[in-house]
Amino acid sequence: MPAVLWLLFGVVMTVGVGVSPAQATRANHYDFFIKETKVTRLCHKKTILAVNGQFPGPTIYARKGDVVVVNVYNQGNKNITVHWHGVNQPRNPWSDGPEYITQCPIQPGANLTYRIIFSEEEGTLWWHAHSDFDRATVHGAIVIHPKRGSAYPYPKPHKEIPIILGEWWNADVDKLLKGIQKTGGDVNISDANTINGQPGDLFPCSKHGTFRMLVEHGKTYLLRVINAGLANELFFAVAGHRLTVVGTDASYLKPFTVETIVISPGQTTDVLLKADRAAAMDGSGNSRYYMAARTFSTNTVIPFDNTTATAILEYMDAPPSTGWPDFPNLPAIDDIASATAYTTQLRSLVTKDHPVDVPTHVDEHMLVTIAINVIPCGPNRMCAGPKGNRLAASLNNVSFVNPTVDILDAYYHSIRGVYEPNFPNKPPFFFNFTGPNPQLEQAFTKRGTKVKVVKYGTVVEVVFQDTAILGAENHPMHLHGFSFYVVGRGFGNFDRNKDPATYNLVDPPYQNTVSVPKAGWAAIRFRAANPGVWFMHCHFERHMVWGMETVFIVKNGKTPDSKMMRPPPNMPKC
Ligand SMILES: *[C@@H]1O[C@H](CO)[C@@H](O)[C@H](O)[C@H]1NC(C)=O
Ligand SMILES: *[C@@H]1O[C@H](CO)[C@@H](O)[C@H](O)[C@H]1NC(C)=O
Ligand SMILES: *[C@@H]1O[C@H](CO)[C@@H](O)[C@H](O)[C@H]1NC(C)=O
Ligand SMILES: *[C@@H]1O[C@H](CO)[C@@H](O)[C@H](O)[C@H]1NC(C)=O
Ligand SMILES: *[C@@H]1O[C@H](CO)[C@@H](O)[C@H](O)[C@H]1NC(C)=O
Ligand SMILES: *[C@@H]1O[C@H](CO)[C@@H](O)[C@H](O)[C@H]1NC(C)=O
Ligand SMILES: [Cu+2]
């Protein structure tokens, strides 16, 4: 493409504006107006739901330990809720957000004040709609700076840039959901992966919007990378630059340097990038470098979005170069070995200021199998799932059914018949979970609204076990209300006699979303010292809609500060 045009567009294109900690001292109050907003991507004009007319939505800034108030006004045409992903919300499930789990939806014309109580989180998180598929467009970054007077455990970056990875559908996402609810079939793949809402200039009609990050030579930048996508784990890299990973899910890591990061829906990754390309300065090489995000698929048998989203890193003080920007080397779409090598490097920082508290004894062991399933078609229905059934998904062979009154309200007010307190600690029977060709009858699942009730302070270990039922693949499992230590991860069937010996109880990563490996397992530990009702679900949106989830109810403790807060006024009614 002609360089002159490029430069011309450059002036009007979105420029990555970083916010340094010093600038981020706004009042801790935000107004979110959710409404239909017209946008154009891939030459398609479309109306999406968006917050304050922005896509992605506004960034929330806080300091560690702050309380942030967000007034959400539903000026759209459908029910909605908002979730503050990765914020523990101690004692305050009321503001957590998942529809029919902790609240009834905010109906059109109504509003709700969310109180977001930050505690231990420091780094990057994000917020998103937690109803239907609306988080496809209703999402944004949460940046949590250290407390005033404390510093990052790494050299202060020159600027900080949120990099929100997402997915774009030309179709209306609401129609996608309605479609699968009708047919029982799978969701159409997205038309593009995106970086900060843009597919990038490799796509038609996408030059103007392509996200550009201007850098000065010699300076270091903090990229706050978020995977807000619905269906794709992603590889992300920046041509010509290595990335030093310093945090994930608002918790610091021992720094390590890589060419490519892997990030699952729900996860965040903070990376430092040093703008150190001398060639850019002497004009002998490029002054522009593509950053790129592409799907990491562990089940290429099913359709997946095989597109590459790009943005551009550009040296603002270098002579302009004329050619195409350099392109990063990304691992192959299905390169599980690369992804595993990356994930194995995640280790908590562990310093005096950032200690870990890994539970060494466990009160309650849970083995939770993950499966894609079917449910029988039923009369007079179209059934586009395998063998004329409807697709479903389960944990321990229970496919979760959303109630019509929220579970938190039912728990708090002792309303009977909304949920059953008997989510099982293990699958109904043991077989070679990861072996080939499970029997078709194993593909059927029970359905129910079963929750797991634990006493305050219980140390819970959950071993997630992927199964090969209707196809093994990675699953990004997310827990509300807690971060957890990912103490182990492996392939094959979890062996309770051998595998715990491989656990990392010294410096495991502290995350809110773990990618359970395809035909493998992941072990997490957390102390249930947060009373409330907390959702746990796969962060692949269609798996969640199919029922791959359950709920933890953590009972009140004995002291006042181990009891749930009282409900705020004006919780929406069902
Ligand atoms: C917000 O909702 C409350 C009822 O929950 C209502 O009283 C109030 O007027 C609403 N505020 C606005 C600005 O719409
Ligand atoms: C999904 O894709 C199929 C095949 O391309 C198409 O016929 C259908 O309209 C799409 N569904 C939606 C909701 O866009
Ligand atoms: C993905 O697309 C590229 C071309 O962009 C093609 O070479 C490759 O074979 C595709 N991969 C799959 C698994 O479809
Ligand atoms: C389970 O199946 C896998 C894949 O075929 C096989 O490698 C493994 O040995 C089996 N495990 C057991 C315990 O049979
Ligand atoms: C799950 O439950 C269904 C329905 O009861 C049953 O048919 C199926 O065999 C069970 N599958 C597994 C893997 O437990
Ligand atoms: C919106 O929420 C209300 C309250 O739960 C519910 O009665 C209604 O059916 C919902 N509307 C839709 C379209 O789901
Ligand atoms: Cu999943």
Side-chain angles (χ1 to χ4, degrees), residues 371-389:
I372 306 293
N373 303 97
V374 285
I375 48 176
C377 189
N380 309 321
R381 301 189 83 166
M382 287 162 52
C383 292
K387 296 201 177 3
N389 295 295

Side-chain angles (χ1 to χ4, degrees), residues 2 122 156 210 287 350 384 557 561:
E122 187 170 315
K156 185 169 176 284
T210 298
S287 62
V350 193
D561 63 0

Side-chain angles (χ1 to χ4, degrees), residues 369 371 373 396-398 427-429 431 441-446 469:
T369 52
N373 303 97
N396 278 346
N397 207 30
V398 183
F429 72 94
F431 58 102
E441 47 281 18
Q442 288 177 357
F444 288 91
T445 176
K446 285 194 265 299
I469 296 172

Side-chain angles (χ1 to χ4, degrees), residues 236-238 241-245 256-259 261 271-273:
F236 172 83
V238 183
H241 296 78
R242 288 164 69 79
L243 305 171
T244 299
V245 181
F256 62 97
T257 301
V258 290
E259 259 171 48
I261 66 163
V271 301
L272 295 173
L273 176 146

